[in-house]
Amino acid sequence: MPSEKILEQKKQAVAELSAKLKESCVGVVVDYKGISVADDTKLRKEIRESGATTYAVVKNTLLSRALKDAGIEGMDDVLEGTTAIAYSNEDYTAGARILNNYAEKSKTFNIKAGFIDGKVVSKEEVEKLAKIPSKEGLIAQILYGLNANIAGLARAIQAVADKKSEEGEVA
């Protein structure tokens, strides 16, 4: 049986992780087996530079308890083997995109599952989330679409004006 000091440290770790998970809008759980130190450092740097995402290696039992405390139920079946979690309270897609890109290149690094707004989602749903462009990318697409419509309208008006001026010159 662990000492009181160790037990208290574990309870504190679960409480801290649970609080962070409650604040998070999205989380992605991965099996990081087979990742080299250099690749892990590069992955962590990329996640850190994304701004709103945190990545941590966590013991399965601690993560299981923290998820339950945070009200996120149904992930116990994927909490086996080597486990890490990336979570964010701002950006829904950054962590999923970064981890999915790495998982696609690796034979051993795999996405296990995730959660979105407290609801557990499958590996496939996390992969779909990773394919969604970032908030900035979506805004750019919307603005491009609006700009294209306005530019098309301006060309149509200009064509009508040119046709009227040609008809006026001929008459």
Side-chain angles (χ1 to χ4, degrees), residues 59-80:
K59 288 188 173 198
N60 290 321
T61 54
L62 297 181
L63 181 56
S64 175
R65 290 186 177 147
L67 287 167
K68 283 179 186 164
D69 289 350
I72 303 167
E73 299 282 338
M75 233 190 257
D76 286 340
D77 57 325
V78 298
L79 297 179
E80 296 175 354

Side-chain angles (χ1 to χ4, degrees), residues 27-161:
V28 179
V29 178
V30 297
D31 178 0
Y32 65 91
K33 178 177 46 183
I35 188 170
S36 69
V37 174
D39 287 343
D40 186 53
T41 303
K42 182 179 172 187
L43 182 65
R44 287 175 184 268
K45 181 180 181 218
E46 190 175 348
I47 288 171
R48 198 171 35 255
E49 288 174 352
S50 73
T53 304
T54 303
Y55 177 80
V57 172
V58 186
K59 288 188 173 198
N60 290 321
T61 54
L62 297 181
L63 181 56
S64 175
R65 290 186 177 147
L67 287 167
K68 283 179 186 164
D69 289 350
I72 303 167
E73 299 282 338
M75 233 190 257
D76 286 340
D77 57 325
V78 298
L79 297 179
E80 296 175 354
T82 56
T83 302
I85 185 167
Y87 53 90
S88 175
N89 58 358
E90 293 178 21
D91 192 337
Y92 280 85
T93 61
R97 187 177 331 100
I98 293 166
L99 294 172
N100 188 58
N101 287 344
Y102 188 82
E104 287 176 348
K105 297 173 192 172
S106 174
K107 293 179 182 174
T108 57
F109 186 93
N110 296 306
I111 293 174
K112 292 182 177 183
F115 67 87
I116 301 172
D117 293 328
K119 179 184 174 273
V120 174
V121 295
S122 68
K123 172 185 176 178
E124 292 76 22
E125 291 172 297
V126 172
E127 290 169 348
K128 286 179 187 176
L129 178 66
K131 303 294 184 206
I132 297 173
S134 66
K135 181 179 177 182
E136 293 78 17
L138 289 172
I139 290 171
Q141 288 176 359
I142 290 169
L143 292 176
Y144 176 78
L146 292 173
N147 192 28
N149 290 338
I150 293 170
L153 177 63
R155 284 191 291 275
I157 292 172
Q158 186 62 46
V160 169

